[in-house]
Amino acid sequence: MCHEMLKAALGGLYIHQAAPAVRRALAFRKDGDPNLILDIGTGSGCWVIDMAKQYPHAEAIGMDLAPPNFASPPPPNTRFECDDANHGLTQYFPESFDVVHCRCITIGIANYHDLLKHAYNVLRPGGVLLTVDCDMLVYNENQEPILAMSEDKPGFSWLNLVVSTSIQAVVNRNPGAKDYLHTSRWIKEMGENDYPWEEYVQGDRVNRGEFIAAQLMQEDFSNVGATLRPVLLACGNPEETVDLWIREQEAEVRGMKAKLYLKWICNWAVKKRSPASPTSEKPESELPSQA
């Protein structure tokens, strides 16, 4: 559900401003090397599968701690590998991927700054880095962060209580869980030092009002409390309290008497090419457009 919601909000499999760079990176190569796509923390594998269908000449690789559960066989140009990104990406050759994608993985990464450097190293010159994260704050109808954490406080939201309590529990175990807040700055600083970018866009916050995206997000987040229940219990909250929070949060999101917003932070950057870097055989106008 989250995958389909983000596709609706972004206008495709990645933020639409990055589409020309992605098409260039995944153009057929003159040197005969295959085009490669890497999705770090692939989860359900939905993004890899959709990219493989959109670019059937490329090989799309999904990496995560556990393999996805497929309802039907994935396309033949996909591969799924079990590995921990916290150990780096040294299992891949340097400068081997045309696109590296990271979506909603910071909560499981101990050092996201280092992971960005590893991603840079496995990108080919001209390759594209794509990152997407939810900033894990709930905003009111004025698009201001909700700060109230008690039901008797003005502006209180059960969704915010559940999300804020859960993310704090995760941060207590992994202080790097909120590193997504620094991703834009880190990518910029990388480009100014030993990791030059040809172009980059930082901190593009997606908060569109498309009806389909809003519907899908509402459905997705109505069940977020049940998903986070183990986290809420693990940090010491009584079971009856957690179950009350979940019931109230689900009713709040489904009823939507007050407008609530979540913002998504998107970054993309293109690794600097040398003048001798291979170019595509096809002009950009002949490459597949984003679905």
Side-chain angles (χ1 to χ4, degrees), residues 25-37 56-61 79 95-99 124:
L26 292 175
F28 292 93
R29 298 177 58 83
K30 286 184 176 180
D31 59 13
D33 285 350
N35 295 96
L36 295 177
I37 302 165
H57 64 282
E59 182 177 8
I61 300 171
R79 190 168 85 237
E95 299 190 349
S96 56
F97 289 96
D98 300 285
V99 173
R124 284 186 172 126

Side-chain angles (χ1 to χ4, degrees), residues 112-121 123 129 182-197 200 269:
Y112 197 59
H113 194 193
D114 279 356
L115 181 61
L116 292 174
K117 294 178 180 178
H118 295 316
Y120 182 96
N121 289 334
L123 272 175
L129 172 67
H182 311 296
T183 305
S184 304
R185 175 172 56 85
W186 285 342
I187 291 176
K188 180 177 183 293
E189 291 174 350
M190 286 169 64
E192 294 170 348
N193 294 288
D194 298 327
Y195 301 84
W197 301 111
Y200 66 87

Side-chain angles (χ1 to χ4, degrees), residues 25-282:
L26 292 175
F28 292 93
R29 298 177 58 83
K30 286 184 176 180
D31 59 13
D33 285 350
N35 295 96
L36 295 177
I37 302 165
L38 177 63
D39 184 27
I40 302 173
T42 193
S44 67
C46 291
W47 190 86
V48 166
I49 290 171
D50 280 357
M51 283 293 286
K53 291 176 180 177
Q54 186 170 317
Y55 297 96
H57 64 282
E59 182 177 8
I61 300 171
M63 178 185 122
D64 213 328
L65 293 173
N69 293 317
F70 300 115
S72 58
N77 58 324
T78 60
R79 190 168 85 237
F80 293 90
E81 301 176 348
C82 293
D83 217 328
D84 187 351
N86 284 298
H87 298 153
L89 302 174
T90 54
Q91 67 271 42
Y92 303 117
F93 289 113
E95 299 190 349
S96 56
F97 289 96
D98 300 285
V99 173
V100 175
H101 179 255
C102 308
R103 185 172 74 185
C104 301
I105 65 171
T106 52
I107 61 172
I109 302 298
N111 192 326
Y112 197 59
H113 194 193
D114 279 356
L115 181 61
L116 292 174
K117 294 178 180 178
H118 295 316
Y120 182 96
N121 289 334
V122 299
L123 272 175
R124 284 186 172 126
V128 183
L129 172 67
L130 302 165
T131 72
V132 181
D133 280 289
C134 180
D135 71 359
M136 300 307 292
L137 289 173
V138 180
Y139 293 78
N140 61 25
E141 60 185 4
N142 298 318
Q143 299 194 28
E144 301 166 336
I146 295 175
L147 303 177
M149 294 293 288
S150 175
E151 189 178 3
D152 59 353
K153 301 294 184 182
F156 172 78
S157 162
W158 291 101
L159 174 63
N160 182 63
L161 175 64
V162 167
V163 171
S164 297
T165 304
S166 299
I167 193 63
Q168 187 56 53
V170 173
V171 169
N172 290 341
R173 294 191 175 192
N174 174 21
K178 297 180 76 172
D179 277 352
Y180 58 84
L181 296 171
H182 311 296
T183 305
S184 304
R185 175 172 56 85
W186 285 342
I187 291 176
K188 180 177 183 293
E189 291 174 350
M190 286 169 64
E192 294 170 348
N193 294 288
D194 298 327
Y195 301 84
W197 301 111
E198 189 167 295
E199 56 180 314
Y200 66 87
V201 174
Q202 55 176 318
D204 198 343
R205 288 175 178 260
V206 177
N207 186 28
R208 297 182 166 199
E210 284 94 336
F211 181 63
I212 294 176
Q215 279 190 315
L216 292 171
M217 180 174 279
Q218 182 179 12
E219 182 63 28
D220 194 35
F221 276 85
S222 63
N223 299 316
V224 73
T227 302
L228 295 173
R229 187 175 187 272
V231 178
L232 294 168
L233 291 172
C235 59
N237 296 297
E239 186 172 6
E240 60 272 19
T241 299
V242 170
D243 288 340
L244 170 65
W245 291 355
I246 293 172
R247 288 195 302 271
E248 295 291 347
Q249 172 267 314
E250 182 177 353
E252 178 184 79
V253 174
R254 291 195 181 279
M256 202 53 68
K257 295 179 180 178
K259 291 182 179 179
L260 300 173
Y261 294 86
L262 290 165
K263 294 185 179 181
W264 295 83
I265 306 170
C266 303
N267 297 277
W268 63 276
V270 179
K271 185 172 181 177
K272 190 173 181 62
R273 291 174 287 189
S274 65
S277 295
T279 56
S280 65
E281 293 182 347
K282 292 186 178 183

